[in-house]
């Protein structure tokens, strides 16, 4: 997280006097989801531009409220920041972006292992994204296809046109990294299973020992996401459902993940917390009490925000039991994550259902490994759109908005 870059591009100094006084600095921050909140595909949701302008200074040049964009989307954060800046008319810095895969930066133990990387081709592609995270020994599904040409067998047009040998020099795969939904599901499912069942050497018979398989790191558990179609589209969570069920049908055992990354995982919210606190400090607003998480998916955005709020409450209780000067520590401690659900994406209930028991009986679209209760998907607030959500936050925080802007540089 290069906060010097953030300060330089936002015209900020060392973070000590950007507000007229500490009393005028915001005690809250905003964590935006992107798809279904700000954009549908590449198209801005109508209220999004106005919503972001509420968080900017009088000239609309820089954020006065600590703001991050936390998405389960895939791609280079530089590409995502450029897209948001272009579509929404505000300058979004790459250091404000948390992509679904961003926390994998911290998984150093795997950066020097031969990793099979599966994922999309857009917004930089899987290889560039993996390199940006620190992975050094990257193997793609296409690499495996070329090394072992008789594995990918569904599409006959891709069969070898002449007899070819396996590449016996191809390195043994040591881990599998799933960055997002691929284009050719049947190819990726087959070859990933081949790798898991053969302990990384798919040109031999299955050798996987019972109860153990190669490490699997998976990013983005969303079953569905909101693009430009009137109904949600399959997300990477749907691909994971296929992989998990095929693995269990073949082996009789559950596929075990070394890590599940992306909302609603706790590690993603901790990563986002660190980022938004660094941004707040750079703006001269170091004492954040509350982060408001705005999303459109109850089983991703709201679930994750509410679980993170429980985590913060637990930390606060533990801190209160310590004998040192906790009053000063707790003053600087983020203590709450409040969830706000908007109606512009995945969540689009019938008006009569929202006030009835039916609104509490969501089908569990969440990941297999995450416990589900209706309460954990219940937001603190429901608003029509992101602009209404920002106005609600300002009302709760009694924040005057642009009347309390950063001093001029």
């Amino acid at each position: 997280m290069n906060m010097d870059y953030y300060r330089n591009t936002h015209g900020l100094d060392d973070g000590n006097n950007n507000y007229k006084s500490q009393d005028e600095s915001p005690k809250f921050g905003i964590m935006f989801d992107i798809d279904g909140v700000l954009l549908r595909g590449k198209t801005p949701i109508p209220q999004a531009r106005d919503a972001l302008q509420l968080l900017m200074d009088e000239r609309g040049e820089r954020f006065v409220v600590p703001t991050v964009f936390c998405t389960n989307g895939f791609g280079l954060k530089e590409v995502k920041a450029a897209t948001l800046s272009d579509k929404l008319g505000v300058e979004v810095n790459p250091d404000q972006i948390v992509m679904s895969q961003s926390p994998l930066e911290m998984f150093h133990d795997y950066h020097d292992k031969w990793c099979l990387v599966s994922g999309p081709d857009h917004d930089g592609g899987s290889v560039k994204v993996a390199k940006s995270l620190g992975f050094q020994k990257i193997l793609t599904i296409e690499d495996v296809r070329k090394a072992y040409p008789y594995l990918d067998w569904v599409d006959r047009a891709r069969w070898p046109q002449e007899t070819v040998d396996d590449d016996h020099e191809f390195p043994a795969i040591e881990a599998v990294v799933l960055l997002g939904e691929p284009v050719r599901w049947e190819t990726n499912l087959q070859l990933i299973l081949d790798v898991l069942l053969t302990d990384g050497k798919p040109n031999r018979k299955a050798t996987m020992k019972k109860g153990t398989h190669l490490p699997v790191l998976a990013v983005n558990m969303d079953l569905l996401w909101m693009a430009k179609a009137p109904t949600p589209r399959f997300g990477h969570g749907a691909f994971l459902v296929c992989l998990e069920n095929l693995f269990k049908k073949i082996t009789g055992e559950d596929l075990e993940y070394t890590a599940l990354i992306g909302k609603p995982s706790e590690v993603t919210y901790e990563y986002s917390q660190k980022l938004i606190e660094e941004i707040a400090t750079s703006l001269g607003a170091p004492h954040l009490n509350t982060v408001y998480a705005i999303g459109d998916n109850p089983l991703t955005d709201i679930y994750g925000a509410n679980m993170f709020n429980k985590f913060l409450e637990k930390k606060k209780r533990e801190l209160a039991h310590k004998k040192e000067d906790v009053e000063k520590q707790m003053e600087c401690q983020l203590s709450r994550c409040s969830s706000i659900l908007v109606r512009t994406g995945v969540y689009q209930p019938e008006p009569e259902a929202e006030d009835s028991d039916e609104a509490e009986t969501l089908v569990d679209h969440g990941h297999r490994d995450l416990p589900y209760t209706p309460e954990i998907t219940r937001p603190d607030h429901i608003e029509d759109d992101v602009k209404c959500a920002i106005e609600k936050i300002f009302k709760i925080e009694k924040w005057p908005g642009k009347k309390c802007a950063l001093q001029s540089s």
Side-chain angles (χ1 to χ4, degrees):
M1 301 177 190
N2 184 0
M3 297 315 298
D4 289 336
Y5 179 53
Y6 181 86
R7 291 191 191 99
N8 292 339
T9 56
H10 282 70
L12 302 178
D13 59 13
D14 62 3
N16 293 322
N17 57 3
N18 293 311
Y19 289 94
K20 294 176 183 177
S21 73
Q22 286 290 313
D23 291 337
E24 289 189 356
S25 66
K27 303 300 188 290
F28 65 96
I30 310 291
M31 184 187 302
F32 286 107
D33 181 34
I34 296 176
D35 296 305
V37 174
L38 300 172
L39 302 177
R40 296 272 294 267
K42 301 286 187 183
T43 303
I45 287 172
Q47 301 82 4
R49 281 175 173 260
D50 290 343
L52 291 185
Q53 282 298 326
L54 294 173
L55 305 176
M56 309 297 287
D57 65 12
E58 290 286 357
R59 292 177 294 185
E61 294 179 352
R62 52 190 180 182
F63 287 90
V64 297
V65 174
T67 302
V68 298
F69 302 85
C70 183
T71 175
N72 268 354
F74 165 86
L76 295 169
K77 62 182 183 180
E78 292 80 5
V79 174
K80 184 63 70 175
T83 298
L84 290 174
S85 299
D86 176 56
K87 300 298 182 182
L88 299 176
V90 299
E91 183 182 355
V92 176
N93 191 285
D95 287 325
Q96 292 176 274
I97 303 291
V98 180
M99 303 300 296
S100 58
Q101 74 276 352
S102 293
L104 286 178
E105 294 173 349
M106 303 183 294
F107 286 72
H108 303 289
D109 289 348
Y110 295 94
H111 290 173
D112 62 352
K113 294 184 182 297
W114 285 109
C115 292
L116 174 63
V117 174
S118 167
D121 299 325
H122 61 79
D123 288 359
S126 296
V127 172
K128 283 187 178 180
V129 167
K131 285 181 178 178
S132 75
L133 297 168
F135 291 94
Q136 301 167 32
K137 298 179 177 180
I138 299 166
L139 300 169
T140 67
I141 293 291
E142 191 62 23
D143 292 333
V144 176
R145 280 191 70 249
K146 290 179 179 178
Y148 309 117
Y150 295 103
L151 297 182
D152 184 15
W153 211 243
V154 172
D155 186 350
R156 297 192 174 213
R158 285 155 67 94
W159 287 7
Q161 297 303 304
E162 56 187 32
T163 302
V164 289
D165 294 328
D166 291 340
D167 180 359
H168 296 287
E169 301 299 318
F170 196 76
I173 294 166
E174 299 173 279
V176 177
V177 180
L178 308 175
L179 291 180
E181 59 268 33
V183 175
R184 286 181 169 268
W185 285 33
E186 81 285 353
T187 296
N188 288 56
L189 288 168
Q190 179 69 74
L191 271 59
I192 290 167
L193 284 166
D194 288 337
V195 167
L196 293 174
L197 296 173
T198 61
D199 288 326
K201 270 293 190 181
N203 63 332
R204 63 189 180 190
K205 292 183 179 180
T207 56
M208 189 190 84
K209 296 178 182 178
K210 187 175 179 62
T212 181
H213 59 72
L214 293 177
V216 179
L217 291 75
V219 164
N220 180 4
M221 296 162 273
D222 282 355
L223 184 76
L224 303 169
W225 68 288
M226 203 68 193
K228 295 188 73 171
T231 56
R233 304 293 85 194
F234 289 150
H236 193 220
F239 180 82
L240 297 181
V241 168
C242 296
L243 182 64
E244 292 157 9
N245 281 279
L246 285 168
F247 184 87
K248 183 155 190 173
K249 197 72 172 176
I250 292 168
T251 68
E253 299 179 4
D254 286 333
L255 179 67
E256 300 292 339
Y257 293 97
T258 303
L260 280 169
I261 306 297
K263 297 182 293 186
S265 71
E266 189 174 287
V267 67
T268 293
Y269 284 86
E270 290 186 76
Y271 184 95
S272 301
Q273 175 191 358
K274 179 176 173 59
L275 178 58
I276 200 168
E277 286 176 342
E278 289 180 354
I279 289 173
T281 299
S282 75
L283 290 174
H287 299 158
L288 293 187
N289 297 323
T290 304
V291 167
Y292 291 90
I294 305 173
D296 70 304
N297 190 333
L299 283 153
T300 298
D301 306 307
I302 305 307
Y303 184 116
N306 289 345
M307 287 295 290
F308 186 57
N309 188 55
K310 289 180 181 292
F311 169 77
L312 292 174
E313 289 175 347
K314 181 181 177 183
K315 280 181 64 175
K316 189 175 180 180
R317 289 194 299 269
E318 290 172 349
L319 190 61
H321 282 90
K322 293 184 178 179
K323 294 183 179 180
E324 61 248 34
D325 184 9
V326 297
E327 184 175 338
K328 185 175 181 181
Q329 290 185 52
M330 293 179 72
E331 179 186 347
C332 302
Q333 181 81 29
L334 181 66
S335 60
R336 186 158 191 267
C337 181
S338 182
S339 56
I340 302 180
L341 182 64
V342 294
R343 299 182 178 95
T344 50
V346 170
Y347 179 72
Q348 294 182 344
E350 297 296 332
E352 61 272 13
E354 194 167 26
D355 298 324
S356 70
D357 291 340
E358 188 178 341
E360 297 294 339
T361 56
L362 290 168
V363 176
D364 180 10
H365 291 163
H367 189 267
R368 176 200 69 186
D369 294 350
L370 300 178
Y372 168 78
T373 62
E375 291 76 19
I376 203 65
T377 63
R378 187 180 301 149
D380 294 321
H381 309 281
I382 300 176
E383 299 295 335
D384 285 340
D385 55 62
V386 65
K387 185 171 183 286
C388 292
I390 296 299
E391 290 169 346
K392 179 74 171 183
I393 292 167
F394 283 8
K395 183 176 180 180
I396 293 169
E397 295 289 334
K398 299 180 174 61
W399 174 250
K402 292 191 177 184
K403 294 179 182 178
C404 183
L406 290 169
Q407 291 185 16
S408 298
S409 307

